[in-house]
Amino acid sequence: MTTADRTERWGTGRGAGDRGPGAAGAAGYDEYHALLARQDAMRLRRRLSAPARPDRPARPDRTDRAPGPARPAGPAPAGPADRETIRRHLPLVAPFDALIAHLYRAMFEQHPYLRGLFPDSMDFQRAHLERAFWYLVENLDRPDEVAVFCARLGRDHRKLGVRPVHFEVFEAALAEALRRRAGAAWVPELEAAWLRMVGFAVAAMVGGAEEAVGEPVSWQATVTGHQLRRPDLAVLRVRTAEPFPYRAGQYTSIESPRLPHAWRPYSIACAPRADGELEFHVRGTGSGGLADVLVTRTGVGDALRLGPPQGTTTLDDAPAPEGPGTGDEARDVLLVAGDTGWATAKALLEEQGLRRPPGRTVHLFLGARTLDDLYDTAAVAELERRWPWLRVVPVIGDGGGYESGHGVGHGAGGAEAVPVAGAVVRHGDWSGHLVRVSGPPAMVTATLDLLAQAGVPAAQVRHDPVGGTVPLAHGPAARV
């Protein structure tokens, strides 16, 4: 399928003009991305024709880890003096919602055309950027981790049409926002430290995007199945026009032509299949956003766009260097899922059904507020019947933790008040297990906290991103 074919299909799909830009705006949006695709093709051609560099390492598998080097070749990470300055002056700029409001205002005042690259509602973008700022602040002393995360983020941002010049605009707007937010208390060293912190992250994002230039920016997909399991919950099946490389446990972002520019992350609810079909479980939020569009205004034959696969909530990434039976593949597995977090657990179980290491057992704790909220019980029962190595423990309770949204607080009663989290730690010792957690933010954070208190090593635990695509923070970011 050519770019022109894809553009025509996207612009004329059912409901393409329901919201967002009109026909002219949609055409301009597609022309812009078509131009970027041609530029990427020329860059890739130049790269392929350039002499080989023997010092350049082989590019890693994109579905397992972030592209690019561990460190960007540009700005150095923030040093001890910058870290002290940023943390000492944090009360001048936090909470970050006001800083971000100033940032977008400055950016759109100076470059009005950029507003067209964002959705009508900026709420998700503001929350996502707020979490990203907290992540950078809390990980100032872990530059390698930040570089890997930002390289992955830069690869994903290609689908938005982001170019290096846009990052320059962002940094200039950030400098103006810092001045406005701090007011009379502004000092030049605060601005310089922030710009060095963000500049390091930006360099990693640009590097990640450059390394991914040979990959599709996004994948065109067609809805092949749409089933309402509850009035506010749908199971979607889609098939991409081109192969979509991913691993069980990963997620992707989805965009609908009914709500242009509004990309949201959704876990893939199946292991890779021979027919290339993907499954997603989507719960509506009642806010009129993408989730509601996918649940109530999407049907078979509709077009969607998928971003690159992301996430590390996978199993059995690599064999142990000491040989079979000595690494993670020798460990049993604990899966903890709540609400539509079942999608991640289902994909991992399907993968284990195909290639489970001998002797491994899997425990699944599946949490829901009520019995009716267990929307996929037939599939759960069938998997448990088919596989004797799987034990399922349903946990029903309305103690909290199943709310959707971006907050990560546990509410009254602390982590123990989240029923599935409490049930897990009361059930036994999981310190020898690989643990994968997926579900609403409060459920995930409560489970992680209790597992850590119970002595489960952090290296054996992985979880879904909480509140977006930015890693979970346990300090000030937890208040976002």
Side-chain angles (χ1 to χ4, degrees):
M1 182 181 291
T2 67
T3 299
D5 292 335
R6 290 194 296 265
T7 298
E8 180 179 2
R9 182 170 174 271
W10 182 254
T12 59
R14 192 178 85 177
D18 282 2
R19 187 175 176 186
Y29 173 79
D30 285 321
E31 288 172 5
Y32 173 68
H33 281 270
L35 174 62
L36 296 186
R38 288 194 292 271
Q39 291 177 346
D40 281 347
M42 289 188 288
R43 289 161 59 207
L44 179 60
R45 191 177 300 115
R46 287 195 296 269
R47 174 185 291 180
L48 294 176
S49 62
R53 286 172 49 186
D55 60 327
R56 189 182 189 91
R59 300 197 331 181
D61 181 351
R62 293 290 190 265
T63 63
D64 286 337
R65 41 192 290 242
R71 288 278 186 92
D82 286 337
R83 293 198 291 268
E84 195 278 332
T85 297
I86 290 170
R87 287 167 177 158
R88 175 162 45 90
H89 292 289
L90 199 57
L92 295 180
V93 294
F96 292 147
D97 54 350
L99 176 69
I100 291 168
H102 287 305
L103 188 155
Y104 281 125
R105 188 175 300 116
M107 187 164 67
F108 296 149
E109 285 172 356
Q110 296 297 319
H111 304 276
Y113 78 95
L114 288 176
R115 186 61 182 89
L117 296 180
F118 292 84
D120 293 343
S121 172
M122 295 285 290
D123 292 346
F124 181 85
Q125 279 67 29
R126 292 176 190 275
H128 181 76
L129 182 56
E130 190 171 359
R131 286 187 56 79
F133 279 163
W134 276 122
Y135 173 77
L136 293 178
V137 169
E138 292 200 332
N139 290 278
L140 284 166
D141 54 350
R142 290 187 283 272
D144 287 341
E145 177 183 322
V146 170
V148 170
F149 162 69
C150 289
R152 187 183 304 121
L153 195 63
R155 172 193 175 218
D156 182 64
H157 270 54
R158 294 170 65 233
K159 70 180 186 294
L160 306 176
V162 175
R163 284 310 205 221
V165 67
H166 296 140
F167 290 118
E168 297 175 16
V169 170
F170 176 87
E171 291 182 62
L174 174 61
E176 178 62 25
L178 287 167
R179 291 171 180 261
R180 295 181 185 180
R181 181 73 177 100
W186 176 88
V187 289
E189 57 265 31
L190 169 64
E191 179 178 317
W194 264 79
L195 291 181
R196 277 190 288 270
M197 175 182 72
V198 173
F200 176 75
V202 163
M205 291 181 68
V206 171
E210 180 64 28
E211 283 295 313
V213 71
E215 301 176 7
V217 172
S218 61
W219 281 256
Q220 301 289 331
T222 301
V223 177
T224 57
H226 186 284
Q227 182 183 17
L228 280 176
R229 297 291 179 86
R230 297 289 182 270
D232 64 343
L233 192 149
V235 172
L236 280 73
R237 297 192 305 278
V238 308
R239 186 172 286 117
T240 55
E242 300 172 8
F244 186 77
Y246 76 98
R247 292 194 54 194
Q250 290 192 302
Y251 65 95
T252 184
S253 50
I254 298 178
E255 183 196 35
S256 167
R258 293 180 180 274
L259 209 57
H261 315 303
W263 294 84
R264 299 291 183 270
Y266 291 98
S267 297
I268 304 169
C270 59
R273 296 171 176 172
D275 63 2
E277 195 169 62
L278 308 173
E279 183 177 310
F280 299 96
H281 300 177
V282 182
R283 183 179 290 280
T285 62
S287 64
L290 181 64
D292 295 329
V293 167
L294 294 176
V295 171
T296 64
R297 298 168 56 200
T298 298
V300 173
D302 282 352
L304 299 173
R305 275 191 179 124
L306 307 184
Q310 300 184 74
T312 59
T313 312
T314 54
L315 288 168
D316 308 321
D317 294 335
E322 296 82 3
T326 60
D328 281 350
E329 74 275 8
R331 297 184 184 275
D332 292 333
V333 172
L334 167 65
L335 304 178
V336 186
D339 197 54
T340 54
W342 158 241
T344 301
K346 183 179 181 183
L348 292 171
L349 287 173
E350 287 186 3
E351 181 185 58
Q352 291 300 292
L354 294 172
R355 55 184 70 91
R356 179 182 62 95
R360 168 179 283 174
T361 62
V362 179
H363 272 76
L364 166 66
F365 284 77
L366 186 58
R369 179 180 286 114
T370 68
L371 281 173
D372 284 343
D373 289 323
L374 292 175
Y375 61 89
D376 206 20
T377 52
V380 176
E382 172 59 22
L383 294 181
E384 189 174 27
R385 183 197 64 79
R386 187 190 312 166
W387 295 324
W389 44 264
L390 170 63
R391 181 181 177 188
V392 179
V393 181
V395 182
I396 308 300
D398 194 17
Y402 303 118
E403 299 83 1
S404 60
H406 305 303
V408 295
H410 308 318
E416 284 281 3
V418 179
V420 69
V424 168
V425 295
R426 290 193 299 270
H427 195 83
D429 177 12
W430 306 106
S431 59
H433 286 61
L434 297 179
V435 183
R436 302 296 182 258
V437 186
S438 55
M443 190 226 83
V444 172
T445 53
T447 303
L448 297 178
D449 288 348
L450 291 182
L451 288 172
Q453 294 171 25
V456 178
Q460 294 166 206
V461 182
R462 296 185 188 176
H463 60 85
D464 277 349
V466 175
T469 56
V470 179
L472 173 67
H474 284 288
R479 296 193 299 269
V480 173

